[in-house]
């Protein structure tokens, strides 16, 4: 009966495709042990290839015993096993996060990286209806929009799937007892210092006793309706995102005019797609972050908007760009004496090479000069006070004024790369090339500068 129920949800929400390589997040607790058992029993039906990831949070002294327990389960079933350990308390302290938030962030980062490295089509997690109810109440307490009322999605970014989302903890326990399964108990699940545990052990039982004993079933009905609506909105958002995205160097950007025309409900979904694409930790995003992004788009607020994980969003001429926080470097000047690769303070490399002008180029993050004009040696350096560029017909213009006219945000101007030849500026990275150094039709050879 339980197996058939799970199959129904797998097929209704199209959670697996035949032949999928599936990574299971297995802690060793009741829910994840049952998930492992169920998908092991169903793997022939969907031709699944199963793999297991266990994350040791280093919170409990006996955490290694959990890992050993999961390893033995995998060995019995001949399932490949990934073991990862990291101190969640240390990470939480460093990033100023709660233990729960820190653990979740580290786990999801690990799973996404494993999926990318080993070509997993799905990541299966054991969240169930009780978890869904707890998540909804947590978001209501902290403040949420309609997206939050959906709680935990049954499917996320076509990668994460939750086959148990609409079955209760009691149904899972009943199946485990029928199958004589063993599991590990985590005493931190009863620690009332955590908000989730307060909701689980105090709030929900109180509501069931004094208001409605079927509150979880009612949440399930509402969540199912919202989940279907969310899936439709998400598809619209993905389509719009593909239409308005582009890249400046390696930074993901959105076309501002088109973004403004999109209803705010879709804009917010597009922000979340961006967060996922660039690696911004979604769990740390708050309403305040979304409101700040809206102000950046609609109200011409200069910004930048600082986002979790060391990222920021800023407004340029006709676009919004999402990038990792820019740190100012001390003055530097690198003498370029020959072709090859040179290290920049940004931890990137600058590649210098020559090619014939006739060769077609489509190189990202590069600049091209006439090799007949730009000869060795030349200098790549940081801008400095008093820098001027040649600007016909007025003669010269201060670089500071040029960057202001180009609407380069002040916090990005400090690290602009300058190309200097024979004591004059002949290039400003991706913004300016001295007229004499530009590639023309009769130019035979070009010199390429590319950041890699």
């Amino acid at each position: 009966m339980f197996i058939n129920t799970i199959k129904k949800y797998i097929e209704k929400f199209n959670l697996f495709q035949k032949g999928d390589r599936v990574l299971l997040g297995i802690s060793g607790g009741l829910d994840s042990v049952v998930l492992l058992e169920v998908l092991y029993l169903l793997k022939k039906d969907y031709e699944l290839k199963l793999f297991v990831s266990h994350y040791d949070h280093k919170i409990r002294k006996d955490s290694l015993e959990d890992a050993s327990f999961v390893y033995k389960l995998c060995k019995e079933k001949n399932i490949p096993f990934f073991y990862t350990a990291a101190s969640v308390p240390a990470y939480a302290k460093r990033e100023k996060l709660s233990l729960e938030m820190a653990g979740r962030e580290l786990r999801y980062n690990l799973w996404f990286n494993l999926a990318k490295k080993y070509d997993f089509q799905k990541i299966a997690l054991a969240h169930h209806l009780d978890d869904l109810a707890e998540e909804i109440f947590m978001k209501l307490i902290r403040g949420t929009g309609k997206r939050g009322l959906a709680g935990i999605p049954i499917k996320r970014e076509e990668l994460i799937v939750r086959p148990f989302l609409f079955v209760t903890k009691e149904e899972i326990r009943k199946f485990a007892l029928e199958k004589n399964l063993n599991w590990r108990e985590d005493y931190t699940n009863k620690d009332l210092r955590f908000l989730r545990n307060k909701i689980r052990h105090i709030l929900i039982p109180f509501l069931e006793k004094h208001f409605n004993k079927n509150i979880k079933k009612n949440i399930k009905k509402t969540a199912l309706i919202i989940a279907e609506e969310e899936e439709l909105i998400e598809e619209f958002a993905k389509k719009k995102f593909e239409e308005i995205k582009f890249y400046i160097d390696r930074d993901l950007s959105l076309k501002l005019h088109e973004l403004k025309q999109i209803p705010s409900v879709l804009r917010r979904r597009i922000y979340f797609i961006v967060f996922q694409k660039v690696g911004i930790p979604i769990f740390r995003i708050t309403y305040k972050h979304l409101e700040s992004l809206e102000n950046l788009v609609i109200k011409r607020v200069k910004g930048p908007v600082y986002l979790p994980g060391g990222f920021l969003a800023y407004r340029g001429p006709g676009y919004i760009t999402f990038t990792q926080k820019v740190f100012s470097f001390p003055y530097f000047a690198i003498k370029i004496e020959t072709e090859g690769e040179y290290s920049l303070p940004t931890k990137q490399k600058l590649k210098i090479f020559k090619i014939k002008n006739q060769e077609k180029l489509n190189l990202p993050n590069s600049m091209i000069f006439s090799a007949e004009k730009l000869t060795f040696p030349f200098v790549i350096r940081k801008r400095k006070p008093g820098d001027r560029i040649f600007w016909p017909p007025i003669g010269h213009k201060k670089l500071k004024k040029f960057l202001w006219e180009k609407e380069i945000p002040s916090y990005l101007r400090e690290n602009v790369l300058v190309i200097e030849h024979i004591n004059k500026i002949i290039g400003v990275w991706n913004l300016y090339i001295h007229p004499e150094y530009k590639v023309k039709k009769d130019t035979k050879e070009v010199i390429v500068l590319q950041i890699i």
Side-chain angles (χ1 to χ4, degrees):
M1 182 68 179
F2 182 80
I3 289 280
N4 290 336
T5 300
I6 300 306
K7 282 188 74 173
K8 181 182 76 174
Y9 288 124
I10 287 173
E11 285 159 18
K12 179 175 181 178
F13 292 97
N14 196 26
L15 300 186
F16 299 115
Q17 303 295 320
K18 285 200 171 182
D20 274 350
R21 292 164 55 84
V22 184
L23 180 69
L24 285 70
I26 305 298
S27 67
L30 168 65
D31 311 327
S32 66
V33 166
V34 172
L35 177 69
L36 178 58
E37 181 70 18
V38 168
L39 291 188
Y40 182 74
L41 293 173
L42 290 177
K43 72 173 186 175
K44 287 184 180 178
D45 295 40
Y46 300 101
E47 299 174 15
L48 303 178
K49 297 177 182 65
L50 303 182
F51 302 79
V52 162
S53 167
H54 176 82
Y55 198 101
D56 184 349
H57 296 73
K58 295 293 182 182
I59 295 176
R60 302 188 344 262
K61 291 180 180 178
D62 62 348
S63 63
L64 196 58
E65 293 177 26
D66 293 348
S68 177
F69 172 78
V70 176
Y71 169 72
K72 288 173 184 175
L73 283 180
C74 294
K75 193 173 181 181
E76 287 170 10
K77 298 180 186 305
N78 197 29
I79 295 174
F81 173 76
F82 294 91
Y83 171 73
T84 307
S87 174
V88 171
Y91 183 77
K93 185 177 180 181
R94 191 188 81 201
E95 298 294 319
K96 298 178 181 177
L97 299 172
S98 68
L99 278 176
E100 183 183 17
M101 186 78 78
R104 182 186 291 186
E105 193 169 297
L106 287 170
R107 288 194 306 274
Y108 279 79
N109 286 343
L110 167 69
W111 293 331
F112 284 132
N113 288 332
L114 287 175
K116 187 175 180 180
K117 185 174 181 179
Y118 295 101
D119 191 29
F120 298 131
Q121 284 78 50
K122 297 291 188 298
I123 299 168
L125 305 179
H127 295 103
H128 47 73
L129 186 57
D130 295 55
D131 292 322
L132 175 62
E134 291 161 15
E135 186 73 14
I136 289 172
F137 281 118
M138 282 182 71
K139 288 181 176 177
L140 282 171
I141 290 167
R142 289 172 173 165
T144 187
K146 184 169 176 288
R147 180 186 174 99
L149 290 176
I152 306 168
I154 192 164
K155 188 165 59 175
R156 177 179 154 200
E157 286 103 31
E158 300 298 325
L159 182 62
I160 290 178
V161 295
R162 299 178 171 95
F164 287 3
L165 194 62
F166 298 124
V167 296
T168 65
K169 179 89 169 183
E170 194 52 43
E171 289 174 291
I172 292 170
R173 184 181 297 276
K174 184 181 176 183
F175 176 84
L177 294 173
E178 287 173 356
K179 293 288 184 179
N180 293 316
L181 300 179
N182 296 312
W183 62 88
R184 299 277 296 171
E185 293 289 352
D186 183 354
Y187 64 80
T188 60
N189 289 333
K190 296 179 181 179
D191 189 339
L192 294 182
R193 289 177 297 175
F194 298 109
L195 175 59
R196 181 179 295 279
N197 290 344
K198 287 181 182 177
I199 292 169
R200 177 182 301 161
H201 299 296
I202 298 173
L203 179 59
I204 293 178
F206 178 82
L207 293 174
E208 287 176 327
K209 181 177 179 180
H210 296 284
F211 288 88
N212 188 337
K213 65 179 182 180
N214 294 318
I215 191 167
K216 290 175 190 172
K217 289 182 180 178
N218 289 340
I219 285 174
K220 173 182 172 180
K221 291 175 188 175
T222 305
L224 274 166
I225 294 168
I226 294 177
E228 290 177 351
E229 293 175 355
E230 287 296 297
E231 196 165 347
L232 181 62
I233 294 170
E234 199 72 19
E235 286 305 312
F236 280 126
K238 286 176 183 175
K239 185 178 178 182
K240 284 293 180 184
F241 168 74
E242 292 297 328
E243 292 173 5
I244 67 172
K245 75 168 184 181
F246 70 104
Y247 288 87
I248 298 176
D249 294 339
R250 296 180 180 181
D251 292 331
L252 181 56
S253 305
L254 302 175
K255 297 173 186 174
L256 187 56
H257 176 73
E258 287 84 346
L259 190 61
K260 283 182 179 179
Q261 309 308 311
I262 296 170
S264 59
V265 64
L266 278 186
R267 268 203 306 273
R268 286 193 292 272
R269 301 310 169 90
I270 289 170
Y271 300 149
F272 275 99
I273 293 172
V274 171
F275 300 154
Q276 192 267 328
K277 294 287 184 186
V278 303
I280 296 171
I282 292 174
F283 302 118
R284 295 200 222 173
I285 293 293
T286 65
Y287 176 76
K288 186 177 178 181
H289 293 122
L290 298 175
E291 188 177 39
S292 297
L293 285 172
E294 281 291 273
N295 289 337
L296 194 66
V297 172
I298 302 301
K299 297 183 179 179
R300 287 194 64 86
V301 174
K302 288 185 178 179
V305 173
Y306 291 96
L307 298 166
F311 289 84
L312 60 82
Y314 68 89
R315 180 174 177 145
Y319 60 84
I320 298 289
T321 290
F322 296 80
T323 185
Q324 285 194 295
K325 199 178 294 181
V326 177
F327 298 95
S328 186
F329 292 95
Y331 180 80
F332 67 90
I334 302 170
K335 192 174 183 181
I336 309 296
E337 297 186 290
T338 183
E339 296 178 54
E341 290 186 3
Y342 297 80
S343 296
L344 297 171
T346 57
K347 296 182 180 178
Q348 297 170 305
K349 288 189 180 293
L350 182 68
K351 187 177 181 181
I352 313 289
F353 59 96
K354 291 181 181 180
I355 60 168
K356 300 295 181 184
N357 188 25
Q358 288 76 20
E359 294 182 39
K360 290 186 178 181
L361 277 177
N362 186 22
L363 295 171
N365 208 13
S366 63
M367 291 187 74
I368 300 173
F369 299 84
S370 166
E372 290 139 35
K373 289 291 183 180
L374 182 56
T375 56
F376 298 112
F378 58 91
V379 172
I380 301 289
R381 64 171 174 82
K382 184 178 176 179
R383 63 181 285 247
K384 58 186 178 182
D387 276 344
R388 301 169 73 87
I389 60 173
F390 177 69
W391 194 259
I394 63 174
H396 286 85
K397 179 184 289 192
K398 286 185 177 180
L399 179 55
K400 182 179 179 180
K401 184 178 180 182
F402 170 76
L403 295 174
W404 177 79
E405 289 173 347
K406 287 288 185 181
E407 298 187 34
I408 304 300
S410 58
Y411 47 89
L412 294 179
R413 294 175 200 164
E414 285 304 308
N415 292 329
V416 166
L417 285 181
V418 168
I419 300 99
E420 184 180 274
H421 186 233
I422 316 176
N423 298 318
K424 66 181 177 185
I425 293 175
I426 57 93
V428 179
W429 193 261
N430 275 344
L431 293 171
Y432 165 81
I433 296 177
H434 191 293
E436 292 179 10
Y437 289 73
K438 289 183 177 179
V439 175
K440 299 170 185 175
K441 287 184 178 179
D442 60 349
T443 302
K444 295 179 180 178
E445 192 175 43
V446 300
I447 186 165
V448 181
L449 283 62
Q450 183 184 24
I451 292 178
I452 56 176

